[in-house]
Amino acid sequence: MKRSFLLLLVLALLLLAGALAPLFKSDPGHVLINFGDWTIETSVLVLATAFLILWFVVQIVVWIWRMPLETARRMREQRAFKQLEKGLLALTEGDWNAAEKALEKSASVQARTTAHYLAAAQAADSQDADERREYYLEQADSGGAKKRFLVELTRARMLVANDKFEAAQSILQDLKSRRGKHPQVLELLSRCYRETGQWDELRKLLPALSKAGVMDEDQVQALREEMAVNSLRSVT
């Protein structure tokens, strides 16, 4: 974007110079600058050209000065990308330890993003490393309602996978109050209700499950029958 702006600016100056060239040819103007013991006398065209050359020189010096920093930044990004790729491949292969280490390096080298830490949390959770999992989830929560929602949803999903339904339920109920039509929130919450035997709560959730497309009509009917059987068992 910046380079395009500079090119357009240079083009505009060249066009302006071409348009004004006949005027300066007939009357080049006269500039006299007194500074202490120094006196500079020149034409307007020469002075404008000098300023333009000076501007280009400054731009080149700034570019040369920034080049090492830009090169270092690109190298860090390349290393981070390689570590991220290595971590994701290891995560896919089920090598949780290697995945966690690579993803942690990737997050530390590059800008700390939510995606890096969520993947690292998945790797830690697969090793039953609850403390490291929570650390990564806390790091992933870098602000913003959308990111916070994703982090909490990931936390709830991992808790459900570890059969910690009550802990997951409180998180999912809060998420449902914010995004009541989110399919995965509804699906995970229905599983919590089902596993903990909260049939009345599950019954109230059925319309939302059907409307969100989490369950089709046959699945809803089968769940109704299951709820009826379990309700009778609890009475007897």
Side-chain angles (χ1 to χ4, degrees), residues 22-48:
L23 178 62
F24 282 112
K25 185 176 181 181
S26 60
D27 184 10
H30 184 76
V31 178
L32 180 63
I33 301 175
N34 288 318
F35 183 74
D37 297 332
W38 294 84
T39 299
I40 300 175
E41 187 175 0
T42 184
S43 67
V44 174
L45 184 59
V46 172
L47 183 64

Side-chain angles (χ1 to χ4, degrees), residues 199-208 227:
W199 307 112
D200 290 338
E201 296 297 329
L202 183 56
R203 187 176 292 105
K204 296 176 185 177
L205 200 63
L206 282 180
M227 287 189 297

Side-chain angles (χ1 to χ4, degrees), residues 160 164-166 168-174 176-177 185-206 208-209 215 223 226-227 230:
V160 169
K164 298 178 180 178
F165 301 108
E166 292 182 358
Q169 179 180 318
S170 61
I171 297 174
L172 291 166
Q173 286 174 334
D174 179 63
K176 182 177 178 295
S177 66
V185 171
L186 295 172
E187 193 275 330
L188 290 171
L189 187 57
S190 67
R191 184 176 173 186
C192 290
Y193 288 150
R194 187 176 182 181
E195 295 293 338
T196 56
Q198 300 181 61
W199 307 112
D200 290 338
E201 296 297 329
L202 183 56
R203 187 176 292 105
K204 296 176 185 177
L205 200 63
L206 282 180
L209 290 169
M215 294 183 177
L223 187 56
E226 181 182 352
M227 287 189 297
N230 283 280

